[in-house]
Amino acid sequence: MAHAFSHIPRSALPELLRRAPKAELHIHIEGSLEPERIFALAHRNGLTLPYASVDALRAAYAFTDLQSFLDIYYAGASVLLTEQDFFDMAWDYFLRAAADHVVHAELFFDPQTHTERGVPIAHVIQGLHRACVQAQAQLGIDASLILCFLRHLSEDAAFEVLEQALPWRHLFIGVGLDSSERGHPPEKFARVFARCAEQGLRCVAHAGEEGPPAYITSALDVLKVQRIDHGVRCTDDPALVQRLAQERMPLTVCPLSNVKLCVFKTLAEHNLPQLLEAGLCVTVNSDDPAYFGGYLNDNLLQLVDALPQLGPQQAWQLLANSFEASFVAPEQKAAWRAELDALFDAAARDAAAGLQA
Ligand code: HPA
Ligand code: ZN
């Protein structure tokens, strides 16, 4: 088979991962707000934060579960008011993504977090969109937006924000489902997801992060999603793992997030190698990088460092999966795959030459 990279030395892996083209498919743009930016925006908007300093805020980032994180995440996002604020937040992310050789990013945003505070949805979408356009023009990053519904709120509230967003339908490619998972099963949003599918929107949902495997099944069967965000708890149900493998249903896994939110105790105990081994289309992503201690390359590098089962072959697979699972045209996927393969092929040739010398 053409793509055999297992003889690339492990020592070459960090540099290879850093330099490789990659797609990021699970990043909440509000989760990229660094404490410094939160304080700067609070100052610009004349708001007072309940934290004395950047360090005091960062010190509060000690989470015990998803909800303990969400409380701080929504508080952080409350400094965003103007179109420029949303632009600045996304631009900060794109600069970091470019440094990580991210060539494609699909950004989640949570409009209800902002519209509930009286921020017009136009400010949210137009600011983020302007940053996406500039990312393409100045950084060569292809970026698109996915509107997420907050699952702790009602389906009526989701319908309401969808109506507000439809005038900007051309500026986002899909919808997702995030926030507090337990007690808020995908079925709660069956009608609004059906409406989104009619609009030609792509559908994804967080499922099986803290919630049971049954939520993954209902995201697939009721919401008819095309990707599962997180999904790591599928291993509690072997038949579901088999189904996900058979359907090549992508899972957007977020290793550092999972450790920070106590889904796994350590990276060394993460089940990602097991998922890859089972033939699932697993991708690696940063989720909320400003809160979880790292951007995309940090996730990839720390993961392979912690898990000896993940060698060059698996690293290549994870990046190839990121393109396979992306919402872009087949020709674009093929072009990025060719770039990725060329880089790994060159490393494999270097390894072979080294062995002969
Ligand atoms: N899970 C659910 N909701 C979220 C997350 C997450 O990891 N990050 C931001 N909103
Ligand atoms: Zn997430």
Side-chain angles (χ1 to χ4, degrees):
M1 113 100 178
H3 302 294
F5 301 119
S6 49
H7 57 290
I8 295 174
R10 245 194 120 70
S11 58
L13 203 44
E15 189 52 21
L16 198 51
L17 276 170
R18 268 190 215 102
R19 286 176 43 215
K22 52 191 72 85
E24 174 143 63
L25 307 177
H26 185 160
I27 156 90
H28 302 263
I29 198 61
E30 292 91 346
S32 74
L33 265 185
E34 293 286 343
E36 290 79 5
R37 177 60 81 182
I38 291 177
F39 269 82
L41 290 177
H43 180 73
R44 185 157 93 187
N45 290 329
L47 303 168
T48 309
L49 291 165
Y51 298 92
S53 65
V54 163
D55 287 342
L57 176 55
R58 202 170 255 125
Y61 294 178
F63 312 118
T64 51
D65 59 6
L66 175 57
Q67 193 59 51
S68 66
F69 155 69
L70 289 170
D71 294 341
I72 286 199
Y73 162 83
Y74 294 129
S78 70
V79 299
L80 296 157
L81 295 182
T82 67
E83 192 263 7
Q84 186 68 40
D85 296 345
F86 289 91
F87 172 89
D88 288 341
M89 168 173 67
W91 188 247
D92 283 352
Y93 166 71
F94 285 128
L95 290 175
R96 290 172 182 270
D100 280 359
H101 291 276
V102 170
V103 295
H104 175 69
E106 297 177 12
L107 274 48
F108 292 144
F109 67 107
D110 286 340
Q112 287 160 295
T113 305
H114 315 299
T115 54
E116 285 209 323
R117 298 181 289 111
V119 176
I121 199 165
H123 290 183
V124 181
I125 297 181
Q126 288 174 336
L128 297 177
H129 175 69
R130 185 158 64 87
C132 291
V133 171
Q134 187 167 306
Q136 180 67 263
Q138 295 188 14
L139 304 171
I141 297 178
D142 179 68
S144 43
L145 299 172
I146 297 179
L147 182 158
C148 284
F149 302 119
L150 299 183
R151 69 201 302 161
H152 67 275
L153 302 177
S154 68
E155 188 181 44
D156 282 349
F159 267 114
E160 199 177 311
V161 77
L162 178 63
E163 285 308 316
Q164 291 170 16
L166 282 180
W168 290 275
R169 164 66 188 87
H170 56 296
L171 302 186
F172 58 101
I173 61 163
V175 295
L177 187 63
D178 65 3
S179 189
S180 323
E181 185 182 8
R182 279 191 292 229
H184 302 286
E187 304 80 286
K188 184 176 160 186
F189 296 91
R191 283 154 297 258
V192 75
F193 269 69
R195 176 83 210 284
C196 291
E198 282 166 20
Q199 294 285 331
L201 289 159
R202 309 280 196 160
C203 295
V204 300
H206 283 53
E209 177 185 17
E210 279 190 346
Y215 284 18
I216 300 174
T217 303
S218 60
L220 295 173
D221 293 337
V222 181
L223 302 187
K224 311 225 184 302
V225 298
Q226 292 162 285
R227 287 199 303 247
I228 295 286
D229 296 311
H230 293 295
V232 290
R233 289 204 52 200
C234 67
T235 43
D236 294 351
D237 178 352
L240 175 59
V241 173
Q242 221 175 28
R243 173 184 178 181
L244 293 168
Q246 250 157 25
E247 296 180 6
R248 280 299 280 170
M249 176 57 60
L251 299 191
T252 62
V253 174
C254 307
L256 288 175
S257 163
N258 290 155
V259 173
K260 282 286 176 236
L261 301 188
C262 308
V263 174
F264 296 97
K265 250 196 262 149
T266 63
L267 280 181
E269 291 161 89
H270 202 288
N271 67 359
L272 184 141
Q274 189 186 336
L275 298 171
L276 260 190
E277 187 61 32
L280 271 70
C281 184
V282 182
T283 69
V284 170
N285 306 271
S286 71
D287 207 6
D288 300 282
Y291 292 90
F292 298 149
Y295 287 77
L296 188 47
N297 282 358
D298 301 313
N299 273 271
L300 286 163
L301 290 166
Q302 291 187 41
L303 189 73
V304 301
D305 191 50
L307 289 155
Q309 309 95 301
L310 300 179
Q313 188 65 37
Q314 289 76 16
W316 170 82
Q317 187 72 60
L318 288 168
L319 300 183
N321 289 349
S322 77
F323 297 124
E324 179 184 336
S326 68
F327 293 141
V328 301
E331 310 77 60
Q332 179 63 81
K333 289 186 191 191
W336 285 325
R337 252 297 295 278
E339 268 182 59
L340 173 68
D341 292 358
L343 195 71
F344 273 72
D345 282 335
R349 277 197 304 276
D350 288 350
L355 283 178
Q356 279 164 16

